[in-house]
Amino acid sequence: MISLNLEYKDYIDRHFEESRESGLAVKDYLYHSTVAYHGRCVHTLHIPKVYSSREIKDFERIVSVAYGIFEKIIREYLKNPQYRKIFPFSKRMEELILAPNLYDSVLPIARFDIFYSEEDGSFKFCEINTDGTSAMNEDRELNIALQYNNVHQYMKEKYEFHTFELFDTWIDAFMEIYHTYEKRKEKPNVVIADFIDSHASETEFEEFRKRFVKRGISCEICDIRKMTYRDGILYGESGRTVDVIYRRAVTSDVDKHYEEIPDFIQAVKDQSVCLIGSFCTQIIHNKWLFKVIREEETLALLTEEEQDFVMEHIPETRLLSSNDCDLQDLTDNKDKWIVKPLDSYASQGVFAGTDYTEERWRDILEEVLDHDYIIQEYYPPHRTENIFFYKENPQFIPYSNMAGLYVYNGKFSGVYSRLSDGGIISSEYNEKAVATLYLK
């Protein structure tokens, strides 16, 4: 809501020193909260992101159409050997993707990251996160931190704000999916699994674990490498049986550490454990999706409305290879393009031409050419004024906005809001996150 953003800004301008102190109080809270881990902490701006009911309806529509398209793509891949040929997956990965999951959903959880304009509702997709979908805890703590935000406390006297609940709603969806599992148990043991010593947010896992237990559902957090498989039964670190896994281990990490997790892999292949989500979600998570979704083999699966949606909202994408790209043209028109690795997370290895000189941009293109990168149409994000009070001399500047739409079992469930003062929005470089709220 642009008008509301201006109200926040006006109050801060009129109460600047008070707002600066407030911003540092918010920072202090976050640095002593559960989003401070592994020596890092989320950074935030002073104006939260607030959406109107119209914008929420927009997000619901976007999720509904996009989810239907992605579901068609996954199901076609699973049943059609010819369609599989247009995807870049290794034989080993294809084998995991094709392992039956024995429940109804093919895309249990996702976050659709989009560049959305609050001025006219136009948007384009940035990326799709499936396995490893995260940041629910960041949103929770950022909303708690608003108690120290002076301008928001003032605005609360004028408006009725609402927040998205992202933990219990996921557990609802998770158990709803599990109840369609062919081998379901009345009281399953749930395990939240990842490579715990890597980039994982253990505090977020612990919040989910507590919510499961509060409902009377047995739940533990387990390093995926420490699972053992004997006589058709998978066991967690505690020695308890594993009936259903909430998979947070991203597929690229699974592939990278494949030889270290033979027990987990065999249990999945034997269909001895319920894996939510199964590896078929990788079809959507991999950025190759943005290439094949605009091609005839995929468009033929879709309705006319869905085809229009794809062509309007999915950016043009090509493999960054010697055969498909003219480096001179990409250099001459650098501001039109962004480079991304085929399979990564947290915006690692992403470069936008607008952030570099022609010389440096050419060097980047040559460095990643023929190394499993895509070149994609760069869509200038919607910008709003905001202020970062961690700086010594804070001032209002325009920030690019990204809306991460949480999708639980096909339903829009909330938003994770990130901003940046650069060409890309990346936790590796310059990302700021803000609390997300909405007005009814």
Side-chain angles (χ1 to χ4, degrees):
M1 294 182 67
I2 297 172
S3 60
L4 204 66
N5 203 78
L6 293 173
E7 281 194 62
Y8 274 95
K9 183 178 183 299
D10 178 65
Y11 185 92
I12 294 169
D13 282 334
R14 290 185 290 106
H15 304 81
F16 196 83
E17 287 307 315
E18 172 195 302
S19 297
R20 186 206 296 264
E21 291 178 13
S22 169
L24 294 178
V26 168
K27 175 185 176 182
D28 185 66
Y29 170 80
L30 292 173
Y31 270 78
H32 293 87
S33 76
T34 60
V35 292
Y37 58 91
H38 298 321
R40 300 182 63 185
C41 184
V42 64
H43 287 175
T44 192
L45 304 171
H46 209 55
I47 301 178
K49 179 58 64 178
V50 183
Y51 290 109
S52 67
S53 57
R54 178 188 65 80
E55 290 155 344
I56 296 302
K57 287 178 181 177
D58 255 7
F59 294 155
E60 290 171 345
R61 178 187 61 83
I62 291 166
V63 165
S64 177
V65 176
Y67 189 88
I69 292 169
F70 299 153
E71 191 174 37
K72 286 181 179 180
I73 291 170
I74 294 172
R75 294 195 185 281
E76 184 69 14
Y77 182 99
L78 296 177
K79 73 179 183 182
N80 186 345
Q82 287 300 118
Y83 188 60
R84 286 175 215 149
K85 292 179 181 179
I86 67 174
F87 288 83
F89 303 125
S90 66
K91 195 69 180 173
R92 183 168 77 182
M93 184 53 57
E94 182 178 297
E95 190 177 50
L96 288 178
I97 290 171
L98 294 177
N101 62 25
L102 306 184
Y103 52 78
D104 288 350
S105 176
V106 291
L107 188 55
I109 187 170
R111 198 182 69 222
F112 300 168
D113 288 348
I114 65 172
F115 296 120
Y116 177 86
S117 171
E118 296 161 52
E119 293 177 347
D120 58 12
S122 60
F123 69 94
K124 288 223 177 195
F125 280 80
C126 173
E127 65 180 13
I128 311 299
N129 294 280
T130 57
D131 49 333
T133 295
S134 64
M136 300 84 158
N137 195 49
E138 279 88 338
D139 179 76
R140 184 181 72 89
E141 289 284 23
L142 286 163
N143 271 285
I144 294 173
L146 288 178
Q147 66 185 297
Y148 301 103
N149 185 310
N150 65 323
V151 59
H152 185 68
Q153 293 306 306
Y154 165 75
M155 296 292 279
K156 278 176 65 176
E157 297 175 7
K158 301 177 64 177
Y159 299 97
E160 184 180 347
F161 295 100
H162 301 268
T163 60
F164 295 103
E165 199 294 309
L166 297 171
F167 286 88
D168 289 320
T169 48
W170 166 237
I171 293 173
D172 288 340
F174 182 93
M175 296 308 296
E176 182 180 283
I177 292 166
Y178 180 72
H179 287 146
T180 70
Y181 180 57
E182 293 177 14
K183 300 180 182 180
R184 64 186 175 275
K185 293 183 178 180
E186 186 176 342
K187 292 187 175 181
N189 292 329
V190 176
V191 163
I192 302 168
D194 199 350
F195 297 92
I196 299 300
D197 62 1
S198 60
H199 49 80
S201 171
E202 297 169 50
T203 53
E204 183 163 281
F205 297 169
E206 179 59 25
E207 187 66 29
F208 274 114
R209 189 197 67 79
K210 289 191 296 186
R211 304 292 182 102
F212 274 109
V213 171
K214 189 175 180 180
R215 295 189 182 204
I217 302 169
S218 170
C219 181
E220 65 178 288
I221 301 164
C222 183
D223 190 306
I224 200 169
R225 291 165 293 199
K226 297 179 180 178
M227 293 179 167
T228 54
Y229 186 49
R230 301 188 306 272
D231 303 321
I233 299 173
L234 187 65
Y235 297 90
E237 289 181 69
S238 69
R240 286 188 293 181
T241 59
V242 180
D243 299 313
V244 52
I245 294 173
Y246 168 20
R247 179 169 73 96
R248 288 290 296 262
V250 299
T251 305
S252 59
D253 283 347
V254 168
D255 195 42
K256 179 181 177 182
H257 298 281
Y258 192 90
E259 305 302 331
E260 301 172 45
I261 51 174
D263 288 32
F264 164 78
I265 294 293
Q266 197 58 52
V268 171
K269 288 182 177 179
D270 291 348
Q271 298 167 38
S272 296
V273 66
C274 178
L275 185 66
I276 300 178
S278 62
F279 286 103
C280 69
T281 63
Q282 180 66 3
I283 299 164
I284 301 303
H285 180 86
N286 190 282
K287 293 178 181 64
W288 191 259
L289 168 76
F290 285 78
K291 178 179 183 296
V292 301
I293 199 171
R294 293 169 63 100
E295 295 177 350
E296 185 55 41
E297 294 93 332
T298 302
L299 293 174
L301 306 173
L302 310 180
T303 65
E304 186 175 339
E305 177 195 10
E306 289 170 334
Q307 291 176 6
D308 292 342
F309 182 91
V310 165
M311 299 310 289
E312 183 176 355
H313 302 299
I314 300 293
E316 178 190 347
T317 305
R318 286 179 273 160
L319 185 65
L320 187 55
S321 70
S322 305
N323 295 329
D324 296 331
C325 296
D326 179 345
L327 288 192
Q328 189 57 53
D329 181 64
L330 296 179
T331 303
D332 292 343
N333 298 282
K334 69 179 183 67
D335 292 353
K336 295 182 180 180
W337 301 103
I338 188 167
V339 165
K340 301 176 181 180
L342 273 175
D343 193 11
S344 69
Y345 48 85
S347 298
Q348 297 175 27
V350 177
F351 307 95
T354 188
D355 286 340
Y356 301 96
T357 64
E358 281 193 17
E359 184 179 2
R360 178 58 187 138
W361 177 244
R362 176 73 181 224
D363 289 342
I364 291 170
L365 294 178
E366 291 176 348
E367 286 168 14
V368 301
L369 186 70
D370 297 319
H371 283 82
D372 293 328
Y373 274 72
I374 58 167
I375 186 86
Q376 192 172 72
E377 168 194 358
Y378 178 74
Y379 183 72
H382 173 67
R383 287 179 170 257
T384 52
E385 295 274 311
N386 215 317
I387 191 164
F388 185 49
F389 277 119
Y390 297 21
K391 286 187 173 182
E392 187 175 345
N393 297 302
Q395 57 186 307
F396 277 98
I397 61 171
Y399 283 87
S400 299
N401 288 247
M402 180 189 289
L405 311 184
Y406 286 103
V407 186
Y408 293 169
N409 202 18
K411 298 176 182 176
F412 168 70
S413 301
V415 184
Y416 181 48
S417 297
R418 290 175 288 166
L419 301 94
S420 163
D421 57 1
I424 62 172
I425 300 173
S426 165
S427 57
E428 190 177 1
Y429 304 112
N430 54 8
E431 177 182 297
K432 310 293 188 294
V434 297
T436 307
L437 307 103
Y438 65 97
L439 301 175
K440 289 186 179 178

